[in-house]
Amino acid sequence: MAYSYTKHQEDALDAVQSAVCKALEAHESIKNADAIKTWFYRILINECLMIIKKRKKFPLAADAAEQEEVAYFEKEYEQGNELEQELDKLDLDVQGIIKLRYFEEMSLKEISGITGLNRNTVKTKLYRGLKQLKEDIQEAGLWADYRI
């Protein structure tokens, strides 16, 4: 999940490490043991968003070390995946909802808890995002490859 947000191995690992540290520091504040998964995902997504904001604020110069970096790929993730590229064009909050729903297979209730949005708002953003994704895929001529 962190890698799908940050698109960089080191940033994803940093986000996971920070999220785990914050979760361990605040684990006593959890009142409902059933909400741990939702609570942790919320911490992780917030960490990813902070890293993305920092990256936009202070863009790194392309140096030799970055050019020599070996690409990191999650299992089942293909570089140059057109669907992933079209998904990246959507707003970050819509991307997050779609990724949580279809990549992490979470329910709308869980996504609502993670994002802090009303369940109906989550549903609306999900369906509008899917509609936009479908239109983008059709415009890109990829409709034969994907059926949404």
Side-chain angles (χ1 to χ4, degrees):
M1 182 55 128
Y3 185 77
S4 73
Y5 269 85
T6 62
K7 304 287 190 257
H8 293 96
Q9 179 183 11
E10 291 80 19
D11 289 346
L13 292 172
D14 287 345
V16 170
Q17 182 178 3
S18 296
V20 168
C21 288
K22 285 183 179 184
L24 290 174
E25 289 171 357
H27 77 282
E28 293 173 359
S29 68
I30 247 325
K31 296 174 184 157
N32 182 0
D34 296 333
I36 289 177
K37 180 179 174 183
T38 302
W39 177 70
F40 182 74
Y41 269 100
R42 188 173 203 166
I43 294 170
L44 179 61
I45 289 171
N46 286 336
E47 287 298 315
C48 292
L49 293 175
M50 283 190 340
I51 288 172
I52 291 169
K53 285 179 186 176
K54 284 180 187 176
R55 193 183 319 142
K56 286 181 181 178
K57 200 174 204 180
F58 303 106
L60 300 174
D63 59 14
E66 285 185 29
Q67 293 173 356
E68 294 176 12
E69 180 179 328
V70 177
Y72 169 78
F73 300 106
E74 292 279 334
K75 184 179 177 187
E76 302 291 325
Y77 182 83
E78 295 179 28
Q79 186 177 18
N81 184 340
E82 296 92 1
L83 181 59
E84 190 77 22
Q85 291 171 354
E86 294 301 325
L87 185 59
D88 287 343
K89 293 178 184 176
L90 299 175
D91 291 336
L92 272 179
D93 60 336
V94 175
Q95 282 182 44
I97 291 170
I98 291 173
K99 288 175 182 177
L100 289 170
R101 179 72 176 120
Y102 293 104
F103 297 168
E104 300 296 323
E105 299 177 357
M106 292 187 171
S107 69
L108 294 175
K109 182 179 179 182
E110 291 173 314
I111 296 169
S112 175
I114 290 169
T115 60
L117 299 172
N118 179 299
R119 191 182 311 178
N120 287 331
T121 304
V122 168
K123 202 182 300 185
T124 300
K125 287 182 178 257
L126 174 66
Y127 294 125
R128 283 186 185 162
L130 290 174
K131 182 180 178 184
Q132 182 63 47
L133 187 60
K134 179 181 176 182
E135 290 171 2
D136 292 347
I137 288 172
Q138 286 175 333
E139 285 178 16
L142 304 170
W143 183 245
D145 297 334
Y146 302 102
R147 297 281 186 211
I148 295 178

